[in-house]
mmCIF file of all heavy atoms in Angstrom:
data_model
loop_
_atom_site.group_PDB
_atom_site.id
_atom_site.type_symbol
_atom_site.label_atom_id
_atom_site.label_comp_id
_atom_site.label_asym_id
_atom_site.label_seq_id
_atom_site.Cartn_x
_atom_site.Cartn_y
_atom_site.Cartn_z
ATOM 1 N N ASN A 4 4.352 12.244 -7.369
ATOM 2 C CA ASN A 4 3.682 12.130 -8.659
ATOM 3 C C ASN A 4 4.617 12.374 -9.831
ATOM 4 O O ASN A 4 4.517 11.737 -10.878
ATOM 5 C CB ASN A 4 2.465 13.018 -8.730
ATOM 6 C CG ASN A 4 1.310 12.499 -7.911
ATOM 7 O OD1 ASN A 4 1.450 11.487 -7.226
ATOM 8 N ND2 ASN A 4 0.173 13.149 -7.975
ATOM 9 N N ALA A 5 5.512 13.328 -9.648
ATOM 10 C CA ALA A 5 6.435 13.673 -10.716
ATOM 11 C C ALA A 5 7.370 12.538 -11.034
ATOM 12 O O ALA A 5 7.667 12.211 -12.190
ATOM 13 C CB ALA A 5 7.216 14.951 -10.353
ATOM 14 N N LYS A 6 7.873 11.875 -9.977
ATOM 15 C CA LYS A 6 8.803 10.768 -10.160
ATOM 16 C C LYS A 6 8.068 9.436 -10.352
ATOM 17 O O LYS A 6 8.644 8.434 -10.695
ATOM 18 C CB LYS A 6 9.719 10.665 -8.966
ATOM 19 C CG LYS A 6 10.671 11.856 -8.801
ATOM 20 C CD LYS A 6 11.570 11.610 -7.598
ATOM 21 C CE LYS A 6 12.536 12.782 -7.441
ATOM 22 N NZ LYS A 6 13.409 12.624 -6.256
ATOM 23 N N LYS A 7 6.771 9.475 -10.096
ATOM 24 C CA LYS A 7 5.920 8.260 -10.187
ATOM 25 C C LYS A 7 6.444 7.151 -9.283
ATOM 26 O O LYS A 7 6.578 5.990 -9.673
ATOM 27 C CB LYS A 7 5.810 7.746 -11.623
ATOM 28 C CG LYS A 7 5.148 8.764 -12.554
ATOM 29 C CD LYS A 7 4.999 8.185 -13.961
ATOM 30 C CE LYS A 7 4.312 9.131 -14.881
ATOM 31 N NZ LYS A 7 4.174 8.613 -16.248
ATOM 32 N N THR A 8 6.737 7.531 -8.038
ATOM 33 C CA THR A 8 7.181 6.599 -7.072
ATOM 34 C C THR A 8 6.330 6.644 -5.812
ATOM 35 O O THR A 8 5.723 7.667 -5.501
ATOM 36 C CB THR A 8 8.643 6.833 -6.671
ATOM 37 O OG1 THR A 8 8.789 8.163 -6.136
ATOM 38 C CG2 THR A 8 9.589 6.669 -7.860
ATOM 39 N N VAL A 9 6.288 5.541 -5.124
ATOM 40 C CA VAL A 9 5.612 5.466 -3.838
ATOM 41 C C VAL A 9 6.593 4.838 -2.850
ATOM 42 O O VAL A 9 7.127 3.744 -3.117
ATOM 43 C CB VAL A 9 4.323 4.587 -3.895
ATOM 44 C CG1 VAL A 9 3.704 4.472 -2.521
ATOM 45 C CG2 VAL A 9 3.330 5.214 -4.845
ATOM 46 N N ASP A 10 6.805 5.513 -1.758
ATOM 47 C CA ASP A 10 7.770 5.048 -0.755
ATOM 48 C C ASP A 10 7.048 4.575 0.511
ATOM 49 O O ASP A 10 5.962 5.051 0.840
ATOM 50 C CB ASP A 10 8.721 6.154 -0.424
ATOM 51 C CG ASP A 10 9.717 6.468 -1.533
ATOM 52 O OD1 ASP A 10 9.715 5.749 -2.545
ATOM 53 O OD2 ASP A 10 10.450 7.447 -1.417
ATOM 54 N N LEU A 11 7.767 3.707 1.213
ATOM 55 C CA LEU A 11 7.260 3.274 2.504
ATOM 56 C C LEU A 11 8.430 3.384 3.491
ATOM 57 O O LEU A 11 9.371 2.597 3.415
ATOM 58 C CB LEU A 11 6.744 1.828 2.474
ATOM 59 C CG LEU A 11 6.131 1.311 3.762
ATOM 60 C CD1 LEU A 11 4.812 2.043 4.042
ATOM 61 C CD2 LEU A 11 5.928 -0.190 3.684
ATOM 62 N N GLN A 12 8.352 4.393 4.354
ATOM 63 C CA GLN A 12 9.371 4.558 5.391
ATOM 64 C C GLN A 12 8.971 3.705 6.611
ATOM 65 O O GLN A 12 7.876 3.888 7.151
ATOM 66 C CB GLN A 12 9.486 6.017 5.785
ATOM 67 C CG GLN A 12 10.457 6.291 6.926
ATOM 68 C CD GLN A 12 11.910 6.000 6.530
ATOM 69 O OE1 GLN A 12 12.350 6.328 5.442
ATOM 70 N NE2 GLN A 12 12.650 5.353 7.417
ATOM 71 N N MET A 13 9.852 2.790 6.965
ATOM 72 C CA MET A 13 9.575 1.867 8.092
ATOM 73 C C MET A 13 10.541 2.118 9.236
ATOM 74 O O MET A 13 11.740 1.951 9.073
ATOM 75 C CB MET A 13 9.654 0.422 7.581
ATOM 76 C CG MET A 13 8.796 0.143 6.363
ATOM 77 S SD MET A 13 8.794 -1.585 5.859
ATOM 78 C CE MET A 13 10.521 -1.815 5.414
ATOM 79 N N ASN A 14 10.014 2.511 10.358
ATOM 80 C CA ASN A 14 10.829 2.755 11.541
ATOM 81 C C ASN A 14 10.446 1.809 12.641
ATOM 82 O O ASN A 14 9.414 1.144 12.602
ATOM 83 C CB ASN A 14 10.625 4.205 12.023
ATOM 84 C CG ASN A 14 11.013 5.235 10.981
ATOM 85 O OD1 ASN A 14 11.992 5.035 10.204
ATOM 86 N ND2 ASN A 14 10.329 6.354 10.975
ATOM 87 N N SER A 15 11.327 1.699 13.662
ATOM 88 C CA SER A 15 11.088 0.828 14.803
ATOM 89 C C SER A 15 10.705 -0.568 14.392
ATOM 90 O O SER A 15 9.707 -1.159 14.887
ATOM 91 C CB SER A 15 10.018 1.473 15.703
ATOM 92 O OG SER A 15 10.378 2.760 16.111
ATOM 93 N N LEU A 16 11.445 -1.106 13.480
ATOM 94 C CA LEU A 16 11.135 -2.435 12.940
ATOM 95 C C LEU A 16 11.309 -3.510 14.002
ATOM 96 O O LEU A 16 12.178 -3.445 14.880
ATOM 97 C CB LEU A 16 11.990 -2.760 11.723
ATOM 98 C CG LEU A 16 11.611 -1.959 10.439
ATOM 99 C CD1 LEU A 16 12.725 -1.934 9.478
ATOM 100 C CD2 LEU A 16 10.365 -2.516 9.861
ATOM 101 N N THR A 17 10.440 -4.529 13.902
ATOM 102 C CA THR A 17 10.495 -5.678 14.787
ATOM 103 C C THR A 17 10.574 -6.927 13.949
ATOM 104 O O THR A 17 10.258 -6.882 12.716
ATOM 105 C CB THR A 17 9.265 -5.750 15.674
ATOM 106 O OG1 THR A 17 8.115 -6.170 14.896
ATOM 107 C CG2 THR A 17 8.923 -4.418 16.324
ATOM 108 N N PRO A 18 10.980 -8.081 14.523
ATOM 109 C CA PRO A 18 11.013 -9.290 13.754
ATOM 110 C C PRO A 18 9.654 -9.664 13.141
ATOM 111 O O PRO A 18 9.639 -10.341 12.076
ATOM 112 C CB PRO A 18 11.461 -10.336 14.774
ATOM 113 C CG PRO A 18 12.303 -9.560 15.751
ATOM 114 C CD PRO A 18 11.608 -8.215 15.837
ATOM 115 N N GLU A 19 8.573 -9.214 13.743
ATOM 116 C CA GLU A 19 7.231 -9.488 13.184
ATOM 117 C C GLU A 19 6.988 -8.760 11.851
ATOM 118 O O GLU A 19 6.051 -9.070 11.155
ATOM 119 C CB GLU A 19 6.174 -9.113 14.177
ATOM 120 C CG GLU A 19 6.067 -10.023 15.388
ATOM 121 C CD GLU A 19 7.284 -9.941 16.293
ATOM 122 O OE1 GLU A 19 7.786 -8.853 16.478
ATOM 123 O OE2 GLU A 19 7.666 -11.005 16.851
ATOM 124 N N ASP A 20 7.835 -7.805 11.522
ATOM 125 C CA ASP A 20 7.735 -7.109 10.234
ATOM 126 C C ASP A 20 8.428 -7.831 9.097
ATOM 127 O O ASP A 20 8.339 -7.391 7.935
ATOM 128 C CB ASP A 20 8.314 -5.681 10.360
ATOM 129 C CG ASP A 20 7.552 -4.817 11.329
ATOM 130 O OD1 ASP A 20 6.303 -4.806 11.282
ATOM 131 O OD2 ASP A 20 8.203 -4.137 12.170
ATOM 132 N N THR A 21 9.125 -8.894 9.398
ATOM 133 C CA THR A 21 9.821 -9.704 8.394
ATOM 134 C C THR A 21 8.811 -10.289 7.390
ATOM 135 O O THR A 21 7.860 -10.950 7.780
ATOM 136 C CB THR A 21 10.625 -10.822 9.047
ATOM 137 O OG1 THR A 21 11.652 -10.259 9.832
ATOM 138 C CG2 THR A 21 11.226 -11.742 7.974
ATOM 139 N N ALA A 22 9.015 -9.980 6.125
ATOM 140 C CA ALA A 22 8.092 -10.431 5.088
ATOM 141 C C ALA A 22 8.612 -9.986 3.712
ATOM 142 O O ALA A 22 9.553 -9.216 3.661
ATOM 143 C CB ALA A 22 6.699 -9.853 5.303
ATOM 144 N N VAL A 23 7.979 -10.487 2.708
ATOM 145 C CA VAL A 23 8.162 -9.902 1.350
ATOM 146 C C VAL A 23 7.152 -8.801 1.242
ATOM 147 O O VAL A 23 5.939 -9.008 1.458
ATOM 148 C CB VAL A 23 7.967 -10.973 0.261
ATOM 149 C CG1 VAL A 23 8.104 -10.325 -1.131
ATOM 150 C CG2 VAL A 23 8.985 -12.112 0.394
ATOM 151 N N TYR A 24 7.619 -7.642 0.844
ATOM 152 C CA TYR A 24 6.761 -6.476 0.711
ATOM 153 C C TYR A 24 6.480 -6.223 -0.753
ATOM 154 O O TYR A 24 7.382 -6.174 -1.575
ATOM 155 C CB TYR A 24 7.442 -5.251 1.333
ATOM 156 C CG TYR A 24 7.349 -5.259 2.849
ATOM 157 C CD1 TYR A 24 8.087 -6.157 3.587
ATOM 158 C CD2 TYR A 24 6.509 -4.370 3.528
ATOM 159 C CE1 TYR A 24 7.984 -6.184 4.976
ATOM 160 C CE2 TYR A 24 6.408 -4.387 4.907
ATOM 161 C CZ TYR A 24 7.148 -5.310 5.624
ATOM 162 O OH TYR A 24 7.046 -5.344 6.997
ATOM 163 N N TYR A 25 5.168 -6.023 -1.046
ATOM 164 C CA TYR A 25 4.712 -5.813 -2.389
ATOM 165 C C TYR A 25 4.017 -4.448 -2.538
ATOM 166 O O TYR A 25 3.281 -4.029 -1.622
ATOM 167 C CB TYR A 25 3.700 -6.860 -2.798
ATOM 168 C CG TYR A 25 4.186 -8.279 -2.770
ATOM 169 C CD1 TYR A 25 4.084 -9.030 -1.617
ATOM 170 C CD2 TYR A 25 4.739 -8.846 -3.919
ATOM 171 C CE1 TYR A 25 4.517 -10.346 -1.600
ATOM 172 C CE2 TYR A 25 5.177 -10.164 -3.901
ATOM 173 C CZ TYR A 25 5.065 -10.901 -2.723
ATOM 174 O OH TYR A 25 5.510 -12.198 -2.696
ATOM 175 N N CYS A 26 4.264 -3.742 -3.631
ATOM 176 C CA CYS A 26 3.464 -2.590 -3.907
ATOM 177 C C CYS A 26 2.418 -2.937 -4.939
ATOM 178 O O CYS A 26 2.630 -3.890 -5.738
ATOM 179 C CB CYS A 26 4.312 -1.359 -4.328
ATOM 180 S SG CYS A 26 4.988 -1.469 -5.941
ATOM 181 N N ALA A 27 1.344 -2.215 -4.937
ATOM 182 C CA ALA A 27 0.214 -2.507 -5.852
ATOM 183 C C ALA A 27 -0.422 -1.221 -6.288
ATOM 184 O O ALA A 27 -0.390 -0.199 -5.613
ATOM 185 C CB ALA A 27 -0.777 -3.413 -5.137
ATOM 186 N N SER A 28 -1.084 -1.315 -7.441
ATOM 187 C CA SER A 28 -1.727 -0.122 -8.062
ATOM 188 C C SER A 28 -3.169 -0.455 -8.353
ATOM 189 O O SER A 28 -3.521 -1.499 -8.831
ATOM 190 C CB SER A 28 -0.996 0.204 -9.373
ATOM 191 O OG SER A 28 -1.704 1.133 -10.133
ATOM 192 N N SER A 29 -4.036 0.546 -8.045
ATOM 193 C CA SER A 29 -5.479 0.371 -8.279
ATOM 194 C C SER A 29 -5.957 1.467 -9.222
ATOM 195 O O SER A 29 -5.613 2.654 -9.039
ATOM 196 C CB SER A 29 -6.258 0.451 -6.971
ATOM 197 O OG SER A 29 -7.648 0.411 -7.220
ATOM 198 N N SER A 30 -6.737 1.105 -10.204
ATOM 199 C CA SER A 30 -7.289 2.078 -11.139
ATOM 200 C C SER A 30 -8.787 2.362 -10.823
ATOM 201 O O SER A 30 -9.454 3.029 -11.660
ATOM 202 C CB SER A 30 -7.159 1.579 -12.579
ATOM 203 O OG SER A 30 -7.836 0.346 -12.728
ATOM 204 N N THR A 31 -9.254 1.834 -9.728
ATOM 205 C CA THR A 31 -10.643 2.026 -9.318
ATOM 206 C C THR A 31 -10.742 3.109 -8.261
ATOM 207 O O THR A 31 -9.991 3.038 -7.271
ATOM 208 C CB THR A 31 -11.304 0.744 -8.827
ATOM 209 O OG1 THR A 31 -11.159 -0.251 -9.848
ATOM 210 C CG2 THR A 31 -12.757 0.945 -8.493
ATOM 211 N N TYR A 32 -11.677 4.010 -8.415
ATOM 212 C CA TYR A 32 -11.854 5.060 -7.403
ATOM 213 C C TYR A 32 -12.840 4.627 -6.328
ATOM 214 O O TYR A 32 -13.932 4.182 -6.617
ATOM 215 C CB TYR A 32 -12.292 6.387 -8.035
ATOM 216 C CG TYR A 32 -12.611 7.455 -7.019
ATOM 217 C CD1 TYR A 32 -11.521 8.126 -6.407
ATOM 218 C CD2 TYR A 32 -13.895 7.740 -6.616
ATOM 219 C CE1 TYR A 32 -11.761 9.076 -5.433
ATOM 220 C CE2 TYR A 32 -14.122 8.711 -5.634
ATOM 221 C CZ TYR A 32 -13.080 9.365 -5.057
ATOM 222 O OH TYR A 32 -13.319 10.306 -4.087
ATOM 223 N N TYR A 33 -12.421 4.805 -5.091
ATOM 224 C CA TYR A 33 -13.303 4.640 -3.917
ATOM 225 C C TYR A 33 -13.177 5.889 -3.084
ATOM 226 O O TYR A 33 -12.098 6.358 -2.796
ATOM 227 C CB TYR A 33 -12.916 3.423 -3.122
ATOM 228 C CG TYR A 33 -13.054 2.126 -3.833
ATOM 229 C CD1 TYR A 33 -11.968 1.495 -4.448
ATOM 230 C CD2 TYR A 33 -14.316 1.503 -3.919
ATOM 231 C CE1 TYR A 33 -12.122 0.296 -5.126
ATOM 232 C CE2 TYR A 33 -14.442 0.273 -4.555
ATOM 233 C CZ TYR A 33 -13.346 -0.310 -5.170
ATOM 234 O OH TYR A 33 -13.522 -1.479 -5.869
ATOM 235 N N PRO A 34 -14.294 6.474 -2.667
ATOM 236 C CA PRO A 34 -14.222 7.697 -1.858
ATOM 237 C C PRO A 34 -13.575 7.438 -0.492
ATOM 238 O O PRO A 34 -12.930 8.347 0.058
ATOM 239 C CB PRO A 34 -15.676 8.117 -1.735
ATOM 240 C CG PRO A 34 -16.474 6.895 -1.988
ATOM 241 C CD PRO A 34 -15.682 6.096 -2.962
ATOM 242 N N THR A 35 -13.732 6.256 0.047
ATOM 243 C CA THR A 35 -13.194 5.932 1.354
ATOM 244 C C THR A 35 -11.826 5.268 1.200
ATOM 245 O O THR A 35 -11.712 4.193 0.624
ATOM 246 C CB THR A 35 -14.137 4.987 2.130
ATOM 247 O OG1 THR A 35 -15.423 5.599 2.189
ATOM 248 C CG2 THR A 35 -13.632 4.727 3.523
ATOM 249 N N THR A 36 -10.828 5.902 1.749
ATOM 250 C CA THR A 36 -9.431 5.433 1.610
ATOM 251 C C THR A 36 -9.298 4.019 2.147
ATOM 252 O O THR A 36 -8.521 3.226 1.613
ATOM 253 C CB THR A 36 -8.480 6.381 2.248
ATOM 254 O OG1 THR A 36 -8.715 7.719 1.774
ATOM 255 C CG2 THR A 36 -7.023 6.021 1.958
ATOM 256 N N ALA A 37 -10.006 3.718 3.208
ATOM 257 C CA ALA A 37 -9.883 2.395 3.839
ATOM 258 C C ALA A 37 -10.266 1.254 2.903
ATOM 259 O O ALA A 37 -9.851 0.114 3.109
ATOM 260 C CB ALA A 37 -10.752 2.316 5.101
ATOM 261 N N TYR A 38 -11.047 1.515 1.862
ATOM 262 C CA TYR A 38 -11.404 0.461 0.890
ATOM 263 C C TYR A 38 -10.170 -0.125 0.224
ATOM 264 O O TYR A 38 -10.156 -1.256 -0.220
ATOM 265 C CB TYR A 38 -12.335 1.006 -0.201
ATOM 266 C CG TYR A 38 -13.790 1.106 0.238
ATOM 267 C CD1 TYR A 38 -14.154 1.120 1.568
ATOM 268 C CD2 TYR A 38 -14.799 1.179 -0.706
ATOM 269 C CE1 TYR A 38 -15.453 1.218 1.972
ATOM 270 C CE2 TYR A 38 -16.154 1.283 -0.353
ATOM 271 C CZ TYR A 38 -16.455 1.301 1.002
ATOM 272 O OH TYR A 38 -17.767 1.401 1.368
ATOM 273 N N TYR A 39 -9.111 0.691 0.163
ATOM 274 C CA TYR A 39 -7.905 0.238 -0.541
ATOM 275 C C TYR A 39 -7.083 -0.708 0.345
ATOM 276 O O TYR A 39 -5.976 -1.087 -0.027
ATOM 277 C CB TYR A 39 -7.085 1.456 -0.974
ATOM 278 C CG TYR A 39 -7.730 2.232 -2.074
ATOM 279 C CD1 TYR A 39 -8.345 3.441 -1.807
ATOM 280 C CD2 TYR A 39 -7.773 1.755 -3.394
ATOM 281 C CE1 TYR A 39 -8.977 4.152 -2.829
ATOM 282 C CE2 TYR A 39 -8.390 2.440 -4.375
ATOM 283 C CZ TYR A 39 -8.979 3.668 -4.088
ATOM 284 O OH TYR A 39 -9.612 4.374 -5.107
ATOM 285 N N ALA A 40 -7.607 -1.087 1.484
ATOM 286 C CA ALA A 40 -6.931 -2.119 2.316
ATOM 287 C C ALA A 40 -7.243 -3.512 1.766
ATOM 288 O O ALA A 40 -6.584 -4.476 2.181
ATOM 289 C CB ALA A 40 -7.422 -2.016 3.756
ATOM 290 N N LYS A 41 -8.137 -3.621 0.836
ATOM 291 C CA LYS A 41 -8.517 -4.914 0.270
ATOM 292 C C LYS A 41 -7.624 -5.202 -0.901
ATOM 293 O O LYS A 41 -7.552 -4.423 -1.875
ATOM 294 C CB LYS A 41 -9.956 -4.935 -0.166
ATOM 295 C CG LYS A 41 -10.959 -4.568 0.925
ATOM 296 C CD LYS A 41 -12.360 -4.504 0.351
ATOM 297 C CE LYS A 41 -13.360 -4.107 1.436
ATOM 298 N NZ LYS A 41 -14.711 -3.985 0.897
ATOM 299 N N HIS A 42 -6.939 -6.362 -0.919
ATOM 300 C CA HIS A 42 -6.056 -6.656 -2.033
ATOM 301 C C HIS A 42 -6.826 -6.840 -3.347
ATOM 302 O O HIS A 42 -6.269 -6.661 -4.425
ATOM 303 C CB HIS A 42 -5.173 -7.854 -1.734
ATOM 304 C CG HIS A 42 -5.913 -9.148 -1.555
ATOM 305 N ND1 HIS A 42 -6.376 -9.889 -2.648
ATOM 306 C CD2 HIS A 42 -6.250 -9.827 -0.467
ATOM 307 C CE1 HIS A 42 -6.975 -10.963 -2.202
ATOM 308 N NE2 HIS A 42 -6.913 -10.949 -0.907
ATOM 309 N N SER A 43 -8.107 -7.155 -3.263
ATOM 310 C CA SER A 43 -8.894 -7.402 -4.480
ATOM 311 C C SER A 43 -9.112 -6.161 -5.329
ATOM 312 O O SER A 43 -9.533 -6.247 -6.484
ATOM 313 C CB SER A 43 -10.238 -8.029 -4.122
ATOM 314 O OG SER A 43 -10.974 -7.149 -3.265
ATOM 315 N N VAL A 44 -8.912 -4.939 -4.756
ATOM 316 C CA VAL A 44 -9.162 -3.732 -5.537
ATOM 317 C C VAL A 44 -7.977 -3.313 -6.373
ATOM 318 O O VAL A 44 -8.030 -2.365 -7.125
ATOM 319 C CB VAL A 44 -9.571 -2.565 -4.641
ATOM 320 C CG1 VAL A 44 -10.741 -2.969 -3.698
ATOM 321 C CG2 VAL A 44 -8.425 -2.016 -3.834
ATOM 322 N N TYR A 45 -6.866 -4.053 -6.265
ATOM 323 C CA TYR A 45 -5.650 -3.688 -6.964
ATOM 324 C C TYR A 45 -5.534 -4.470 -8.256
ATOM 325 O O TYR A 45 -5.818 -5.677 -8.323
ATOM 326 C CB TYR A 45 -4.428 -3.909 -6.081
ATOM 327 C CG TYR A 45 -4.386 -2.939 -4.923
ATOM 328 C CD1 TYR A 45 -4.998 -3.217 -3.719
ATOM 329 C CD2 TYR A 45 -3.792 -1.687 -5.097
ATOM 330 C CE1 TYR A 45 -5.013 -2.312 -2.678
ATOM 331 C CE2 TYR A 45 -3.796 -0.754 -4.046
ATOM 332 C CZ TYR A 45 -4.408 -1.082 -2.865
ATOM 333 O OH TYR A 45 -4.410 -0.159 -1.828
#
């Protein structure tokens, strides 16, 4: 929070992980963390 960064540590990578990776920010609160799996909430 202090640096305002979000990191993604990726280990044991496979060719299936090949992609363009995007980060996204949501300003909507949902009590259930799994709701943030939907790209529409960002």
Side-chain angles (χ1 to χ4, degrees):
N4 285 5
K6 294 181 180 179
K7 297 184 179 181
T8 58
V9 177
D10 290 353
L11 184 69
Q12 177 66 42
M13 306 185 296
N14 300 326
S15 302
L16 286 162
T17 74
E19 288 68 38
D20 295 314
T21 295
V23 177
Y24 283 71
Y25 300 89
C26 72
S28 169
S29 175
S30 59
T31 303
Y32 175 75
Y33 295 98
T35 304
T36 308
Y38 279 21
Y39 292 104
K41 303 176 183 179
H42 64 78
S43 60
V44 309
Y45 292 90

